[in-house]
Amino acid sequence: MPKTILIIEDEHKLAQLLEDYLLAASYEAHQIHDGADAISSIKEKQPDLILLDIMLPNKDGISICKELREFSDIPVIMLTAKVEEIDRILGLEIGADDYICKPFSPREVVARVKAQLRRADVSNTPASSNNELVVLDHDRFVAVIMGQDLTLTPVEFRLLKKLSSAPSRVFSRASLMDNLYDDHRIVTDRTIDSHIKNLRKKLANLTDNELIHSIYGVGYKWEHRES
């Protein structure tokens, strides 16, 4: 079945242009133009991804995204004519997965849609199937360690997901770097070590057992050793 994209955009011509490009890319697409109809339409259509304009009549995109995140982790790409950094940060902090500034190329939007859907498919793969100690809640960036909630930053969450996915396997710093940031920025060994240090501190609040072990000259591994 083709993936379904919901376009929430009050500029009718732009919404139609996006729909045409998405249909050409073999997606199913639907449009709505009023913010007041957004949540009910999302619940009805259950899309795989949402293109969400910030400036909408009756209910803005920020409010819609906040409400959406109370019950769903559907990927959201914000569409905005506002280029100020505060708007970009706000959009991502309230649960949006990406943003595109107007004017934009419809081809770029389709490329971003494909990238987010691929990422969502990976995220929805169970991360703790071989590690009963860890359950990862992708909606809240929370890890449940031995039944206790642990709130993490996105980077810490990705690190924990990678390490705990293969207990006792040693991950090099280089392999961990590849999983830290979505934008593939260049980071140093010291950056990895700093994030590991912070993650260990949070884990130490839940258990006396050391879960992340340093392998000298190589990297780190996740291992639960009974005390």
Side-chain angles (χ1 to χ4, degrees):
M1 293 292 292
K3 299 283 189 179
T4 300
I5 314 301
L6 181 60
I7 305 164
I8 307 177
E9 166 63 64
D10 64 328
E11 296 181 42
H12 289 246
K13 289 184 178 180
L14 177 57
Q16 187 59 53
L17 181 64
L18 290 172
E19 179 174 336
D20 291 343
Y21 270 80
L22 289 165
L23 291 174
S26 300
Y27 295 110
E28 182 178 330
H30 303 279
Q31 303 176 35
I32 61 171
H33 310 289
D34 191 322
D37 300 328
I39 296 299
S40 60
S41 295
I42 292 168
K43 290 180 177 180
E44 175 190 349
K45 298 184 183 301
Q46 293 293 307
D48 297 290
L49 182 142
I50 299 167
L51 294 173
L52 177 60
D53 188 24
I54 286 184
M55 300 300 292
L56 292 164
N58 298 314
K59 192 172 188 178
D60 64 85
I62 298 294
S63 300
I64 293 167
C65 195
K66 283 183 178 179
E67 187 173 346
L68 170 67
R69 285 296 175 249
E70 293 177 1
F71 65 88
S72 175
D73 62 347
I74 296 169
V76 174
I77 300 177
M78 306 295 287
L79 309 177
T80 177
K82 295 185 175 183
V83 296
E84 295 86 353
E85 189 65 18
I86 185 64
D87 291 306
R88 299 181 181 186
I89 293 172
L90 178 61
L92 296 175
E93 284 185 347
I94 53 87
D97 298 275
D98 198 359
Y99 63 86
I100 302 178
C101 291
K102 299 176 182 179
F104 47 69
S105 161
R107 289 188 178 88
E108 179 188 2
V109 176
V110 172
R112 299 282 192 96
V113 166
K114 289 179 179 178
Q116 287 300 326
L117 289 173
R118 283 196 301 269
R119 188 169 298 147
D121 287 341
V122 171
S123 295
N124 289 332
T125 301
S128 55
S129 58
N130 57 354
N131 186 356
E132 295 179 356
L133 290 175
V134 182
V135 176
L136 300 179
D137 185 335
H138 294 85
D139 295 348
R140 300 180 295 148
F141 277 107
V142 169
V144 182
I145 309 291
M146 292 178 286
Q148 302 177 77
D149 280 6
L150 186 66
T151 302
L152 303 171
T153 67
V155 170
E156 291 166 354
F157 188 87
R158 293 186 188 104
L159 268 177
L160 179 59
K161 178 178 179 179
K162 183 73 172 179
L163 289 167
S164 64
S165 67
S168 299
R169 174 183 169 183
V170 178
F171 290 94
S172 68
R173 287 177 173 84
S175 67
L176 294 174
M177 286 180 195
D178 292 339
N179 288 270
L180 274 189
Y181 300 100
D182 289 338
D183 57 6
H184 304 295
R185 72 187 70 174
I186 297 173
V187 295
T188 66
D189 287 0
R190 181 174 293 183
T191 303
I192 296 288
D193 293 341
S194 177
H195 288 303
I196 290 288
K197 181 180 178 181
N198 293 335
L199 183 55
R200 276 175 163 162
K201 284 182 179 179
K202 293 183 177 182
L203 290 168
N205 292 327
L206 301 183
T207 176
D208 293 332
N209 289 321
E210 185 178 358
L211 297 174
I212 299 175
H213 302 269
S214 300
I215 307 302
Y216 183 75
V218 181
Y220 298 94
K221 69 175 179 178
W222 175 275
E223 189 173 62
H224 178 240
R225 300 169 182 170
E226 295 293 343
S227 55

